[in-house]
């Protein structure tokens, strides 16, 4: 069983398509449907990140593969400051994988990572 | 066997971040490889205190200290009996770092 990073990437992209009323070419749809045109709002960031990770996880589950998933989401206010993210994993490289989606609008940056870890039943 | 000890892993992460970053200054060119090497360092240090048969995912965010706000969230689909995670943060006047390690039992 091979982890399909493209599939995971497309899920994150296509999920919010049903919620969107404006067509966009290659936007990242889950994030777009949650953050869309909003401005960074410290009081709402909690529910935004929760919505993004929950929706991503729900759709990964629908793939129906025997994988455990870890989804992380970081939302940062745009202020000109630099940000780097990196990850290192100890796993089985033949079956496990990861994909990352970056998104931004005028006031904030969003980075979503999906890690899929295979289990043997 | 034993289980993923979140408290212990968190202490390891905090110690490793503090000693690796200490008085480090943020630089755009240097911070990208620094973030990667930090992720690898934390992953190998966490591996030493985690029981066998655990797969690890270590994620590091390294940023410039400014006036901005940042929130990191994660959610996982796993077995809550055996799987867990730990996280730690570090900051000085020039930069900040957020590290999380998720441990997933390999059934």
């Amino acid at each position: 069983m091979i982890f399909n990073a493209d599939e995971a990437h497309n899920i994150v992209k296509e999920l919010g398509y049903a919620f969107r009323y404006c067509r966009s070419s290659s936007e990242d749809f889950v994030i777009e449907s949650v953050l869309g045109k909003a401005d960074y709002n410290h009081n709402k960031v909690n529910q935004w990140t929760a919505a993004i990770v929950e929706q991503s996880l729900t759709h990964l589950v629908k793939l129906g593969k025997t994988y455990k998933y870890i989804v992380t989401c970081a939302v940062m206010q745009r202020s000109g400051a630099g940000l780097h993210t990196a990850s290192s994993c100890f796993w089985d490289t033949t079956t496990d994988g990861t994909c990352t989606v970056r998104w931004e609008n005028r006031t904030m940056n969003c980075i979503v990572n999906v890690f899929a870890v295979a289990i043997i039943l | 066997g034993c289980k993923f000890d979140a408290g212990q892993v968190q202490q390891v992460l905090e110690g490793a971040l503090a000693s690796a970053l200490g008085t480090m200054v943020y630089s755009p060119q240097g911070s990208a490889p620094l973030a990667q090497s930090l992720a690898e360092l934390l992953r190998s240090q966490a591996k030493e205190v985690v029981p066998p048969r655990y797969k690890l995912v270590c994620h590091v965010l390294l940023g410039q200290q400014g006036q901005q706000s940042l929130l990191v969230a994660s959610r996982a689909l796993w077995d809550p009996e055996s799987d867990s995670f730990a996280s730690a943060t570090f900051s000085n006047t020039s930069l900040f770092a957020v590290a999380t390690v998720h441990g997933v039992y390999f059934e």
Side-chain angles (χ1 to χ4, degrees), chain A residues 31-103:
Chain A
I31 311 173
E32 178 76 20
S33 73
V34 175
L35 298 179
K37 316 245 183 305
D39 282 345
Y40 183 85
N41 183 336
H42 187 71
N43 297 319
K44 293 204 172 154
V45 168
N46 250 320
Q47 67 195 64
W48 286 340
T49 51
I52 291 170
V53 292
E54 274 183 42
Q55 288 176 28
S56 302
L57 209 46
T58 303
H59 276 250
L60 286 167
V61 166
K62 286 185 182 167
L63 291 176
K65 308 271 170 76
T66 51
Y67 276 94
K68 293 180 176 177
Y69 297 103
I70 296 162
V71 178
T72 69
C73 170
V75 174
M76 188 174 88
Q77 194 178 12
R78 287 185 74 166
S79 65
L83 179 73
H84 304 269
T85 108
S87 60
S88 174
C89 306
F90 179 81
W91 60 22
D92 182 342
T93 52
T94 58
T95 58
D96 306 331
T98 175
C99 85
T100 303
V101 174
R102 280 164 285 270
W103 183 95

Side-chain angles (χ1 to χ4, degrees), chain B residues 11-12 17 25 29 47 75 78-79 92 96-97 101 107:
Chain B
Q11 285 182 335
V12 167
L17 278 178
V25 170
Q29 304 87 357
K47 186 61 185 157
R75 186 108 10 144
W78 59 21
D79 180 350
N92 62 23
F96 68 89
V101 170
E107 297 164 32

Side-chain angles (χ1 to χ4, degrees), chain B residues 28-56:
Chain B
Q29 304 87 357
S31 293
L34 175 60
Q36 185 63 49
S37 63
L38 257 184
E40 284 162 16
L41 171 72
L42 294 176
R43 189 253 305 154
S44 61
Q45 294 212 341
K47 186 61 185 157
E48 289 172 15
V49 299
V50 160
R53 292 193 71 87
Y54 269 92
K55 291 180 175 178
L56 292 182

